[in-house]
Amino acid sequence: MEVLSSLAAGFAVVLTPTHLFLIFLGCLLGTLFGALPGLGPINGVAILLPICYTLGLPVESSLIMLAGIYYGAEFGGRISSILLNVPGDAGAVFTCLDGYPMAQKGLAGPALALSGVASFIGGTIAIVGLTFFAPLLASVAIYFGPAEYFVLMVFAFATIGALMGSNPVKSLIGVTIGLIIGVVGVDSTTGVLRFTLGEAELYDGFEFLIVIVGFFAVSEIMLMLEHHSSEDFEMPKITRVYVTMKELLYCKWTMVRSSLIGFVVGTLPGTGASIASAVSYTIAQKISDKEGTFGKGDMRGLAAPESANNACAGGALVPMLTLGVPGSGTTAVLLGALMLYNINPGPMLFVEQPKLVWGLIASMYIGNVMLLIINFPMVRIFTKILQVPYWLLVPSVIVLAFVGVYSVNMSTFALLLSLILGVLGYFLRKLHYPMAPVILGFVLGKIMEDNLRRAFAMSGGEIGIFFQGTINYILWGLTLFILFVPMIAKMVSKRYALGKK
Amino acid sequence: MEVPFSYDPLGPTAFPIALGAVLVLLSLFVIAKPQNAKFPGLNTELKTVLIVLLLFVYQLGFDFLGFLLSTALLVFCIAKIFKGTTSQAFGAGVGVSGVVYLIFSFLLEVPLPVGSLFAKLLGVSS
C-alpha cells in the first residue's frame, strides 16, 4: 500500500502547529469569501495569493492555505444562498432552489446544518477519490511526450467548449483570449520579443498576479455596483442549527450519488462547481422527485448541489496535480501559484514534489473536518458577516488586491496593467463571456505552445507525430466524445420528455 | 519577426498567428448570432466609469502622495459611491489605509511608498 505510506508522509508534513493554523485560517477565510455574495473561491485565492507570496511562506504552506480557501469557499457559498436567496458564488446557484424555500418555512437552521454535512460528505468522498485515483493517473502521465501534451490541451479546451457556459463559442473565445495574453513577452525558444510594445515591464509577459487581480478583483468591484447591498435583505430567524439522524438518512443516497457526480465532473478539465451542481441537481430531481417537492424546499434538492460542489473541488485537483491541467477556474489560479514558485506542474509533480502533493492531500482531510466543526458553532457569526456593508467591503477588497500586486512587482505600472485587464474583464463578463476559460487559456498557453513546438522539432516538422501512439488515440477519442456530449444529452432529454408524455 | 536560424521548425510567429485565425473564426459565429448584452442604467454606468477613473488616478498618485494618503482618499471616494455616509466613508478611509499599512509594513515587511511629496516637505530622500 504505497498510497497509504505516502499519505502518512503527507500527514507528517501537515501536522505542525503552523500548518494546522494555516489550514484553519484558509478554511475560515474561504468560508467568508464563499459566503459574501459576489466573491467566490477564485476571487479569494486571487486576492490572498500575493499576500501569501510576500509573506515568504514556503510553497507547500501557501498551497495548503490557498486550497483551504478554495474548498472553504465551496462550503461557505451555501450560507447566503439559503438565507438571502443570493448565491455566494457560481457553484451555489442550485443551492438557492431548495435552500431558500426551506429558510422561508422556518427551517433555515436545519438547512444550514444539513448542507454543512452534505458539503462535508462531498468533500471527503472527493479527497478519498483524489488519494487513490491521482497516483494512478500520475503513473500513466509520465509516458506523456510533447505531442501527447499538446493533444491533452486540445482535449481540455474541447471540454471547456462543450461543457462550460451557455454558449460554447464564447467559452472558446475566452480560451483564445487567455492564450493570446499568455503569448506576450520573450519567446522562450528564440528570445524574440512578442507584443511587448517596447515596455520593459512586459518582457516577462503579463505577470500572473496582475492578470488574476485584474480579472477577478477589479472587474468584480465594477460589477458589484449593480448588485444591491445585502443590507436591504431581511435575515430569516435561525432556530436549531443541527440535523436529525432521520433527515440525514433521508438524503444519504442523494449525497453519495451527488458526491460521485461532483468528483467525476471536477476531474474533467475546465469544468467547475457550477456544472457539477447543475448536473447533480438535475439528476437528483429526475430520480427522487416523485411528489414534485423539488424547488419547494426538498432536503434532497439542497443536499445534491452542496455535496456536488464540494466534491468537485477535490476532483478538480486530480488533473491539476497529475497532468498540470487545472480542473476548474480556481485550480487554474492554484496552478499559477505553483508556477510563481518556479514549480513546473505536470506529470513529474508526484515524483519530484511528494511533500507538496501529499501534504496538500493530507491537509484537505484535516480541513474538511475543521470546516464541519467551525461551521456549526460559527454559523451565526457568518450570518452577521453577510451584513457587512458594501461601502466597507468593496474598498477593502480593491486595496488589498492592489497592494498585493504592488508588493510583488514594486511598480505602479503593474497596477495600471491590472486596471486595464479589469476593464477588459468587465466588458467580457457583461457580454456573457465566462472568465474561467480565459484564465485557463492564460495559464496553459505557454505550456501548450512549448509542447507544440517541441513536438514539431522532434518530428522535423511532420504533423503525424500528433496522431501516433495509444495515448494520442485515447485523447483524440475522448475529445471527439466530449464534443458530442451536449448533442447526446439533448437527445436523451428529448427521449425522456417523450417517454413522460 | 525574423529569426535567422532555429532548430525549431515552427518559430515564434506560428502560434500567435494560429491563435489570431482561431479568434477570427470564432468571432464570425458571434457576429452571425449576436446576443444582446444588458447594461445597467446610465447612473450606474457613470459610477462604473468613475471607479475606473479613481483607480487610474490612484496608481498615478501612488508614489507621489504615498500609500497612506492616496489609499485613504480612494477608500473614501469608493465608500461614498457605495452609499456610505460621509462619516462612514471617512472612517473606512482612515481605517482601511491604516490597517493595510500596518499589515504590510510591519507584518509582511513590504516597504510601501511614503510619497515623494512628503519626502520633499520633510527633506528626507525617499
Side-chain angles (χ1 to χ4, degrees):
Chain A
M1 290 280 11
E2 207 190 325
V3 170
L4 291 183
S5 63
S6 310
L7 188 62
F11 273 106
V13 174
V14 175
L15 289 172
T16 61
T18 333
H19 280 162
L20 288 176
F21 175 71
L22 286 174
I23 298 172
F24 175 73
L25 194 65
C27 290
L28 196 66
L29 289 171
T31 312
L32 280 184
F33 273 106
L36 290 167
L39 295 175
I42 202 161
N43 314 95
V45 177
I47 293 164
L48 289 163
L49 172 58
I51 298 177
C52 274
Y53 189 68
T54 36
L55 254 175
L57 287 176
V59 59
E60 60 265 22
S61 313
S62 280
L63 197 64
I64 283 170
M65 184 175 140
L66 293 172
I69 295 174
Y70 179 27
Y71 53 81
E74 302 295 357
F75 231 94
R78 69 194 212 287
I79 298 175
S80 61
S81 304
I82 292 171
L83 294 178
L84 306 174
N85 204 20
V86 178
D89 57 60
V93 174
F94 282 83
T95 311
C96 294
L97 295 183
D98 279 290
Y100 186 62
M102 272 185 84
Q104 281 179 315
K105 284 192 221 164
L107 292 173
L112 285 170
L114 173 70
S115 56
V117 176
S119 300
F120 171 74
I121 290 173
T124 310
I125 288 181
I127 304 164
V128 174
L130 173 66
T131 312
F132 290 96
F133 188 56
L136 270 181
L137 196 58
S139 61
V140 176
I142 43 176
Y143 298 108
F144 276 46
E148 282 81 4
Y149 244 95
F150 179 77
V151 182
L152 177 68
M153 305 283 163
V154 174
F155 167 61
F157 295 145
T159 325
I160 296 169
L163 301 179
M164 266 208 75
S166 49
N167 189 339
V169 174
K170 291 196 167 173
S171 306
L172 289 176
I173 290 184
V175 170
T176 319
I177 291 174
L179 288 168
I180 290 174
I181 297 174
V183 161
V184 175
V186 177
D187 172 38
S188 55
T189 334
T190 54
V192 172
L193 291 176
R194 298 193 289 192
F195 308 111
T196 55
L197 308 173
E199 285 289 348
E201 301 210 34
L202 279 178
Y203 285 2
D204 283 337
F206 280 97
E207 213 240 341
F208 179 68
L209 293 172
I210 295 176
V211 177
I212 54 167
V213 162
F215 281 157
F216 294 103
V218 177
S219 73
E220 195 66 63
I221 65 154
M222 290 168 71
L223 284 170
M224 274 185 173
L225 269 172
E226 290 166 37
H227 301 306
H228 281 285
S229 161
S230 41
E231 289 163 279
D232 317 337
F233 290 102
E234 185 120 356
M235 201 58 87
K237 272 235 157 54
I238 298 175
T239 45
R240 57 166 174 129
V241 198
Y242 58 87
V243 271
T244 60
M245 212 54 204
K246 204 178 136 211
E247 288 163 340
L248 277 182
L249 288 176
Y250 180 57
C251 305
K252 62 176 189 261
W253 293 120
T254 312
M255 291 197 274
V256 172
R257 186 184 338 107
S258 306
S259 305
L260 293 175
I261 296 170
F263 179 73
V264 172
V265 172
T267 54
L268 292 174
T271 53
S274 40
I275 297 170
S277 53
V279 172
S280 71
Y281 185 86
T282 321
I283 291 179
Q285 192 175 24
K286 281 195 177 147
I287 292 181
S288 323
D289 189 15
K290 304 241 158 59
E291 294 94 36
T293 46
F294 270 57
K296 294 175 193 138
D298 192 304
M299 289 198 165
R300 291 164 302 183
L302 172 65
E306 271 310 305
S307 336
N309 69 26
N310 282 271
C312 175
L317 284 166
V318 173
M320 179 206 141
L321 292 175
T322 54
L323 302 170
V325 176
S328 67
T330 316
T331 40
V333 179
L334 290 176
L335 196 71
L338 284 183
M339 294 176 178
L340 211 61
Y341 280 96
N342 283 325
I343 289 181
N344 277 326
M348 293 313 283
L349 201 66
F350 264 79
V351 184
E352 285 169 359
Q353 305 278 350
K355 252 179 75 184
L356 175 73
V357 174
W358 288 104
L360 174 66
I361 294 175
S363 81
M364 291 176 67
Y365 281 98
I366 299 172
N368 252 288
V369 178
M370 274 190 192
L371 278 167
L372 187 66
I373 296 170
I374 57 179
N375 261 271
F376 281 90
M378 288 180 72
V379 99
R380 282 168 213 276
I381 302 173
F382 286 130
T383 56
K384 285 266 158 20
I385 285 158
L386 286 184
Q387 285 155 318
V388 168
Y390 272 34
W391 56 259
L392 185 60
L393 177 68
V394 176
S396 313
V397 164
I398 193 64
V399 168
L400 271 179
F402 263 26
V403 178
V405 166
Y406 179 84
S407 63
V408 174
N409 293 281
M410 284 298 160
S411 100
T412 51
F413 184 70
L415 300 183
L416 181 64
L417 284 180
S418 268
L419 180 58
I420 293 170
L421 288 175
V423 174
L424 173 70
Y426 171 78
F427 281 107
L428 285 176
R429 290 167 79 163
K430 289 291 331 171
L431 299 171
H432 311 289
Y433 289 89
M435 264 354 248
V438 182
I439 215 72
L440 253 81
F442 175 67
V443 169
L444 295 180
K446 208 175 157 45
I447 310 172
M448 188 180 189
E449 188 187 5
D450 283 351
N451 282 301
L452 174 70
R453 287 162 72 176
R454 227 174 277 155
F456 268 121
M458 274 166 70
S459 71
E462 286 291 326
I463 202 162
I465 191 166
F466 298 104
F467 302 98
Q468 280 165 6
T470 326
I471 297 177
N472 274 340
Y473 292 144
I474 295 174
L475 286 172
W476 282 117
L478 284 173
T479 310
L480 281 179
F481 172 72
I482 213 89
L483 286 175
F484 285 109
V485 162
M487 249 185 261
I488 297 167
K490 232 180 228 170
M491 271 160 61
V492 169
S493 63
K494 231 180 220 170
R495 277 267 167 85
Y496 185 83
L498 282 177
K500 238 184 178 176
K501 273 175 198 169
Chain B
M1 280 184 271
E2 291 266 323
V3 188
F5 171 78
S6 162
Y7 57 88
D8 154 30
L10 273 188
T13 50
F15 192 65
I17 289 173
L19 289 179
V22 171
L23 194 58
V24 168
L25 198 74
L26 290 170
S27 310
L28 290 179
F29 282 96
V30 178
I31 295 167
K33 234 188 184 175
Q35 224 180 331
N36 278 336
K38 253 191 268 154
F39 280 92
L42 184 67
N43 204 355
T44 317
E45 273 167 44
L46 283 179
K47 281 182 186 167
T48 313
V49 174
L50 188 61
I51 286 200
V52 174
L53 277 180
L54 277 171
L55 290 174
F56 181 74
V57 174
Y58 178 65
Q59 61 86 23
L60 273 186
F62 198 69
D63 283 325
F64 179 65
L65 292 177
F67 171 79
L68 276 173
L69 184 59
S70 56
T71 304
L73 285 173
L74 176 81
V75 173
F76 177 82
C77 296
I78 293 184
K80 282 300 282 182
I81 293 174
F82 279 89
K83 297 187 183 130
T85 61
T86 307
S87 55
Q88 282 169 340
F90 185 78
V94 174
V96 170
S97 59
V99 169
V100 172
Y101 187 79
L102 286 179
I103 292 177
F104 273 82
S105 36
F106 293 104
L107 214 63
L108 306 180
E109 294 180 356
V110 173
L112 292 170
V114 187
S116 47
L117 176 70
F118 299 110
K120 252 179 223 153
L121 283 179
L122 297 170
V124 224
S125 61
S126 67

